[in-house]
Structures are given as C-alpha cells and as structure tokens.
Amino acid sequence: MDRIIKAFTFKTDVYAEVENDATFTSTAWIIVAVVSFLNQLGARANANIGDWLLGAVVGTAFAVLGFAVATYVINLVGRVVFKADVNFGELVRTLGLAYVWQIVGLIGILGAFSVTLACILSPLIFIGWILTVIAWFIAVKEALDLDWFPTIVTVVLGWIALIVVNLLAGLVLGAIGIGAALLF
C-alpha cells in the first residue's frame, strides 16, 4: 500500500525500488488486472447488468493485453533503439505500479445515475488518464535510465501500441455485438 501511495504522489524513488524488486512482479500484474477491471466497470456503467459485467470482463482482458503489448514495445524500443539496460519484468513492475492512476475511471459508475453527472465526471476521468501518462513517463525514465526525449519517444510508441490493441478490441467486440444482434 505504501508503494501505491508513493505512486499516487509521484515519488520517483518508488519506481527504482520496484524495478529492482523481482518479488513485486506478480503484484504489478495484479494491480493492472484489478485496476483495469474497476476502470472497465466505470466505463461501461450505462449498460444493463449483464452487458456491464461481461463488457467489464472482456474489456479487462483487452486492457491487460494492451498493457503487456505496450510494455513489450517500450522494452524493445528502450533496449534496441536507445541501448537501455532493462528487461520486460522491470518494466512490468514500474509500469504496473504507475497504472494505479487508471482507478480514476471507476467514478464513471456515478455517471450511470444521470447524464449531467456523467458530463461533470468526464473531465475528471480524462485528468486521470493524463496522470497515468505522466506516471508512465516517470516510471519509464526510472526503469530505462534515459534522458527525457528518448523516454518520451519510447512511451509514445508504447501508447500507440496500446491504442492499436484497444482499437482491435473495439472491432472484435463490435463484430460480436453485431453478430449477436443478427442472431437474436
């Protein structure tokens, strides 16, 4: 819990700490999975209960996959292009901890109660996303030990990979929805 609080307060030393703590790897994956699920619950709160839960579970699977792909890309770019001394596990630990900011998406559940409330909360959810990106920059800078420019390039490429996974997820889920609608 102490590390999560440090991540929320942008204490950079916590990323160096978890980078070197191999026992934190499973905790980082758990953080990503749990926070993704809670974020998905908030994002899909306007659906009926069955679609809400199914969408949250499927969305979580794609979010974790997207995290893994983004981490892989950041690892690859950091090592190959910028010659950083890093491995996938170190990045999973640092980026997994930085992922805690995605918990802000849970407040989207409150938007299910009224459209006005959803409009008021949307900027807060967007701010949570921006804070996640900032936390990723800090985490990657600590893990790769690079200057800011290569760090920013590396994270942007990772986020592009994450966006591609999300787009593919949307296409897959859309196709399933259309198929189900045609069947029933």
Side-chain angles (χ1 to χ4, degrees), residues 111-126:
F113 296 110
S114 84
V115 174
T116 304
L117 196 53
C119 290
I120 292 169
L121 294 173
S122 292
L124 294 176
I125 294 168
F126 181 72

Side-chain angles (χ1 to χ4, degrees), residues 90-114:
E90 292 168 345
L91 283 167
V92 164
R93 293 189 291 273
T94 57
L95 291 173
L97 183 60
Y99 204 80
V100 297
W101 276 103
Q102 287 292 296
I103 193 79
V104 173
L106 181 62
I107 65 173
I109 288 176
L110 299 174
F113 296 110
S114 84

Side-chain angles (χ1 to χ4, degrees), residues 44 58-59 61-63 65 163-176:
R44 302 177 190 303
V58 173
F62 279 110
L65 175 64
I163 290 167
V164 168
V165 170
N166 285 334
L167 289 174
L168 291 174
L171 290 173
V172 168
L173 293 175
I176 291 170

Side-chain angles (χ1 to χ4, degrees), residues 11-51:
K11 304 285 188 208
T12 57
D13 62 319
V14 73
Y15 296 110
E17 183 183 320
V18 299
E19 176 187 4
N20 297 314
D21 182 2
T23 65
F24 191 74
T25 304
S26 59
T27 304
W29 281 111
I30 290 168
I31 288 171
V32 170
V34 169
V35 168
S36 294
F37 181 70
L38 294 173
N39 183 291
Q40 292 297 316
L41 285 175
R44 302 177 190 303
N46 289 329
N48 67 53
I49 191 77
D51 292 343

